Amino acid sequence: MLFHVRMDVAIPHDLEPDERARLVATEKERALALQRAGTWVHLWRIVGQYSNISVFDVGSPDELHEILWSLPLFPFMTVQVTPLARHPSALVAGP
């Protein structure tokens, strides 16, 4: 199942710099691992914002929920999820 996910991140300004750096580094490691596994299919930055548009390929909505909740920056995110279906006029059949 494919899902379009928008993530807007708002890390508190008073978070200790070392904790912020640790969280951001851990988030990057997790994102890279999910991309290598083929779960996080696309990751696009939204210009001028601490936000991204992503496409996930997972087995179920519950699996996506668990992945999102496992992200180190999740407590500081606003997340919007949209399920996707193949369009009959699309040229490409893959994700």
Side-chain angles (χ1 to χ4, degrees):
M1 298 180 75
L2 295 177
F3 291 90
H4 168 279
V5 180
R6 178 180 173 138
M7 296 177 233
D8 298 302
V9 182
I11 299 173
H13 295 290
D14 60 350
L15 189 65
E16 291 187 23
D18 289 343
E19 177 64 8
R20 178 189 170 94
R22 185 192 68 75
L23 281 170
V24 170
T26 306
E27 179 83 13
K28 183 176 182 176
E29 290 172 18
R30 180 79 171 121
L32 291 171
L34 288 164
Q35 288 173 76
R36 288 183 187 112
T39 302
W40 201 326
V41 185
H42 294 282
L43 174 56
W44 295 92
R45 172 181 291 164
I46 299 174
V47 176
Q49 300 177 35
Y50 196 168
S51 303
N52 73 72
I53 297 290
S54 296
V55 175
F56 286 83
D57 188 0
V58 294
S60 69
D62 289 332
E63 182 181 354
L64 177 62
H65 179 82
E66 293 302 319
I67 289 169
L68 294 174
W69 276 70
S70 75
L71 296 175
L73 290 176
F74 182 79
F76 309 112
M77 290 182 188
T78 300
V79 179
Q80 297 174 331
V81 177
T82 305
L84 300 174
R86 301 255 177 247
H87 194 285
S89 298
L91 286 175
V92 179

